[in-house]
Amino acid sequence: MPHLLRTALLRLALVLGAAGGVTSCAGGPPGGEARLALVIGNAAYANAPALNNPANDSADMCAALKRLHFRTLCYTNLRDRAETDAAVRAYVDQLTPVTVGVVFYSGHGVQVNGANFLIPTEVQPRAASESPLRVLYGLDDLFDRMRQRPARYQLVILDACRTELFVQAPRPDGGPAPKPAAKSGLVRSLEALPKVGNGLAPITDAPPHTSVLYATASREAAYDGRGRNGPLTKHVLKNIETRDLPVPRFLQLVAAGVEAETQREYGRAMTPTIYGSPGGSFCFSGCSPIVVDPPPMQ
């Protein structure tokens, strides 16, 4: 399917309900709270190592968020920057000042000189002289879109920066390095950039009333996982439907679960890291009404 036509159909799916790699489910929680989620799982990479779990991660997150009465915009294997930005704009265009939103991404990510990027599945620099960053989707681009339509509260979950991106690197769990494989033009061009790394860089400017959850500490790589889900997504799913669990406690339980499991399974712990707003007293299940980071008393 021609690229421009596929992108147009992807946008049209938001109105019609489903097309290609996107599904949309409507729902509303008791009390009429506005809830909206954008979920992206990139796994079938053409120019980077394929990943086992992001398709499962995104499907399971979509199902859980639907049960929690989120209107869900769910995508798999977004091919390029334009498709990714179309999905982000479809989400942002529905935000309101009373919306509680979730943005979830599972797939490859990279940081270059302090800037963070998500990697669509079929991107490739058009020429050896072109910077690969032109075809990736910047985390700053996501944040800039979110700032256009401020919401009541948003949680951004980035299950990104898998160890498999630069496959010649030693495994973080201390195991042997993978056998050398033919590198794509994208990976070679990324490796040639100064200050490039698997792990995402720290965030200093998250949008207002937004928490950002990394799968592991900044500048560290994350495991893809040996089961159905990556470690971070597994523990998000384990806790997100627990009743009367405010966001700060939810994030603490997720981080503790990931650390314990990865230390046990890999001999080296992933340490999920949280940036931005602490999340106030919002709960995904229960804890009504919403109260998020109230202003100090005068």
Side-chain angles (χ1 to χ4, degrees), residues 144-207:
D144 287 345
R145 292 285 188 199
M146 291 169 63
R147 289 188 186 96
Q148 294 171 9
R149 298 287 295 270
R152 185 71 177 270
Y153 172 70
Q154 296 185 84
L155 173 61
V156 178
I157 302 172
L158 298 175
D159 198 349
C161 294
R162 302 301 211 278
T163 58
E164 290 83 355
L165 180 57
F166 301 122
V167 294
Q168 83 287 356
R171 291 175 55 86
D173 59 7
K179 294 181 180 179
K183 298 177 185 177
S184 70
L186 173 66
V187 172
R188 291 196 303 271
S189 62
L190 286 172
E191 289 179 328
L193 295 175
K195 298 183 180 180
V196 64
N198 249 351
L200 296 179
I203 293 174
T204 58
D205 59 347

Side-chain angles (χ1 to χ4, degrees), residues 5 15 27 41 80 134 145 162 169 175 178 202 224 259 262 291 296 298:
L5 176 59
V15 177
D80 57 24
R134 292 177 60 86
R145 292 285 188 199
R162 302 301 211 278
D224 194 30
E259 283 188 302
T262 52
V291 180
Q298 299 298 324

Side-chain angles (χ1 to χ4, degrees), residues 33-37 70 91 94-103 146 149-157 206-213 240 245-252 274-284 290-294:
E33 296 172 358
R35 294 184 170 198
L36 178 67
F70 279 77
Y91 166 80
Q94 299 181 57
L95 294 174
T96 74
V98 298
T99 300
V100 173
V102 172
V103 177
M146 291 169 63
R149 298 287 295 270
R152 185 71 177 270
Y153 172 70
Q154 296 185 84
L155 173 61
V156 178
I157 302 172
H209 303 300
T210 299
S211 305
V212 182
L213 175 63
I240 199 168
L245 188 64
V247 165
R249 181 58 179 157
F250 161 76
L251 295 174
Q252 290 173 353
I274 304 157
Y275 297 94
S277 166
S281 60
F282 170 71
C283 299
F284 289 97
I290 301 172
V291 180
V292 177
D293 297 341

